[in-house]
Amino acid sequence: MRISRRDFFTYCKNSSAALALGTTQLGLLQKALAATTGPTVLWLQGAACSGCSVSFLNRIAPSAPATAADVLMQTVNLAYHPALMGATGELAVAQAKRAYDNGGYILVVEGGVPTAFGGNTCLAWTVQGKDTTFQQAVLDYSARASQVIAVGTCASYGGVAAAAPNPTGVKGVSAVSLKNTLNIPGCPPHPDWIVWAIAHLLTNSVGPLDCSNRPIGLYGQSIHQNCWRLAAYQANQHATAYGQDNLCLFDLGCHGPQTQAACPSTGWNNMANWCVDANATCLGCTSPAFPFAALRRTTNANNGD
Amino acid sequence: MPTTVTSIDPVTRLEGHLKIEVTIASDSGSQKVVDAKATGTMFRGLENILVGRPPDDAPDITQRICGVCPVSHGMAAVTALDKAAGLQAPDNARIMRNLVLGANYIQSHILHFYHLAVQDFIDGPNMPPWQPSWSTDKRVDKATTDVLVGHYVTALDMRRMAHEMGALFGGRLPHPPAFVPGGFTNSVRPDRISSFQSYLGVLIPFIQNTYIPDVEALASYYPDYYNVGGGTGNLMAFGVFDLDASGANKLLRSGRVQNASTAQQTMDPNQITEQVAYSWYANSTNNLKPSSGQTTPQFPKTNAYSWLKAPRYQNAPYEVGPLARMWVNGDYSRGISVLDRHLARAQETLKVALALQTWVAQLDPSAPVYKQYSTPEEGSAFGLTEAPRGALGHWVRINNHKIANYQVVTPTCWNASPMDNAGVHGPLEQAVIGTTVLNAAEPVEVLRVIHSYDPCLACAVHVMRPKEGVRVFALGAVPGA
């Protein structure tokens, strides 16, 4: 089942539209992947639900390497991932520590960073009787990383766990580490967005970021401006309730106009569907303010609201 | 009694954060776990975040409890909200909710066996993230190991396709946006029905010809695991997959048994309380019913060792999950053990997949999917369902059109619960206690027991010296006193 780096390159080339890799970047990527071992990646999970990891596993591309397994087998050296790795206990932690000692790894963080209760509402691991809070692990491991990717809205900005009243004082990764961090928000992010981040970091071609530290190459356009139902909006054809096909969902409280994400072009789950095409309003899950004060427009009984 | 000390932290290949402290004692040349404490090591307080929000937000917010089983939280939430508003969702909505939930059962069960559990028994590919790993008690021959590693990769495709199948109706996975009180957002499009059927045409043969035979093959190498990890013997199911609008008939019914008997007893949600004597929550919130439950963190707290509460039914611990469901439904009765959990899970996967085939054909493109929902000014209700890993309940109280209280009791709270007010261990703790360990430096037997429950947590296992009461956390075997 070995997939070569050459195949990964082929994938990137074939799907370069979605990945937005130019010819120069493709050349750089080929060079980066020519190393005998892929770049070391450490993937830490904090105040998270594992939805970002599960979404990553849903990756499928039009040509080899088609899947997450292919990326893991030949593209990167995933030295630490608590949900996927064979090692357990201190043998697992030792893999992270070895990378830490060498430095220069890519640190991927999934989940927010709890800071209340001394960080004790989320532990990363315990070694020799000493608990390490996730907050401490993020501080330590971001310090020696060459790059930090915050995968998902929780790691980027705090996300659902940081919603009012933020019971555990959750913050995004960069708010704790104060280090440059590439934010790839989404609850969860699309698998292609995660691969986009890795490929562009490897080729040093991430490009400009917006004021929320999201790459403009990926988050530069709103859901609304590329929405499949933009014509319905322009023709003032609005859905009045769920279950109505092809109509604009604006009156149901769609967050699409305020939400920067590539969903209309990447679709979801191998283009099986996406929120709007399921007549569900965009929930704005890539936004720094997600999940807002309310996610959907509500209708109350009695008061005619 | 001499003891050997080792530590595992974190236990990997689980969802989330859990720590288990285990005491291993050496006696007459064999080593056995004599005590265990399960510790949930992450608390986010999503129940408190829901207070004051519009009830419509509950399905979306609670799905973020778990990225592996979000659909079950969506299902529990809409069930509770429908009841609170006194409305019954249209049949199409009931069916589409079941289709998305069933699709996620298939992805979750396949993921659990091939990507989380199987590496306790075989060596994965010779590279990170699969290696290095423990080598103790790996019995499967190389040819079979190679087949299973190949199936690891195939199974990644299968679980991905199960998610794609669910997204056809759910919008996307994980965290489908289509679960709303009143019904479902998505319409019934004939092209999606046929696409769903095409996916089943791939998944059902995989479950029949690969997944179930692989579990049986593994069992043939480890038959002693029919006698390991028994646990409490109390099994409970809330029931799941409504077959009619009232929910009276389900594919997997609700009920419970005690002491591994087959004598059915009814399950009355009013008999459930949550005990916090050993949990990091204020004692003033102890032993409350979920309908009036409170989540008031208190850290540190004397004697407490977990962020999980300890749910109990008439003060007794119960195991929940596929084995409990299949047992209560009369579909499985071979025994309660590590292997029985894997076998029941695999057989349930097939049962659900075959049911999906029937249900998708019942969708009616010309009938409604949604009934106008309005948030009641006040009301309270609960929604009971089953996540892939066991019984799940949401309890909601609405006041002034807002959520006044929300309590969630997850399956892993049942299975990995800490001790209760009477000092009785939770099911997973009980299952670990008594397990014989070959090599205390690599207590893989403990991992196998933990993973058989498919806990929705990342674990840490510690081993302590029982007599001295001093916890020692050092990797590697330390000769006992």
Side-chain angles (χ1 to χ4, degrees), chain A residues 1-2 45-51 54-55 57-60 67 69 72-73 77-80 82-93 95 117 120-129 131 160-165 167-168 187-188 240-245 268-270 272-275 277-280 283 285 290-303, chain B residues 7-17 19 41-46 48-49 53-54 56-57 60-61 64-68 107 111 115-116 119 125 127-134 150 152-153 156-157 159-160 163-164 167-175 177-180 184-187 189 192 199 297 299 307 369-370 372-377 401 447 462 473-475:
Chain A
M1 296 305 295
R2 293 293 181 93
Q45 293 182 312
C49 71
S50 294
V54 172
S55 184
L57 294 182
N58 283 344
R59 182 181 148 65
I60 182 73
T67 66
L72 299 186
M73 283 180 167
N77 170 38
L78 185 63
Y80 190 89
L84 293 174
M85 66 194 304
T88 197
E90 294 198 9
L91 183 62
V93 181
Q95 308 312 307
F117 302 96
N120 280 292
T121 62
C122 185
L123 299 184
W125 49 65
T126 307
V127 174
Q128 311 250 332
D131 291 341
V160 164
T168 59
C187 193
T240 54
Y242 294 123
Q244 300 171 353
D245 286 345
W268 275 85
N269 301 96
N270 198 14
N273 211 333
W274 67 292
C275 300
D277 205 35
N279 300 322
L283 298 176
C285 74
F290 179 80
F292 316 105
L295 285 170
R296 296 173 185 264
R297 182 156 302 169
T298 58
T299 307
N300 288 342
N302 309 333
N303 64 3
Chain B
S7 93
I8 314 171
D9 179 359
V11 171
T12 51
R13 287 176 279 113
L14 297 167
E15 194 295 319
H17 301 249
K19 174 191 288 189
T41 65
M42 182 182 73
F43 166 69
R44 287 180 292 168
L46 294 194
N48 297 345
I49 285 165
R53 293 183 77 101
D56 311 55
D57 279 6
D60 300 307
I61 297 285
R64 271 71 184 180
I65 290 172
C66 178
V68 183
Q107 92 77 33
L111 177 84
H115 309 117
L116 305 183
Q119 289 175 80
M127 65 177 80
W130 302 281
Q131 299 295 345
S133 69
W134 289 350
Y152 177 107
V153 177
L156 268 180
D157 281 336
R159 58 146 300 285
R160 168 182 59 76
H163 255 182
E164 290 167 11
L168 288 168
F169 293 110
R172 70 162 179 188
L173 280 162
H175 302 334
F179 283 74
V180 288
F184 214 67
T185 67
N186 210 350
S187 61
R189 275 179 20 194
R192 287 181 171 148
Y199 277 113
F299 183 95
W307 288 106
V369 298
Y370 178 74
Q372 183 61 50
Y373 166 84
S374 299
T375 302
E377 185 172 351
H401 304 293
L447 278 190
H462 300 296
F473 306 87
L475 182 61

Side-chain angles (χ1 to χ4, degrees), chain A residues 30-45:
Chain A
Q30 193 173 34
K31 199 173 167 187
L33 295 177
T36 49
T37 55
T40 295
V41 174
L42 303 181
W43 186 307
L44 303 183
Q45 293 182 312

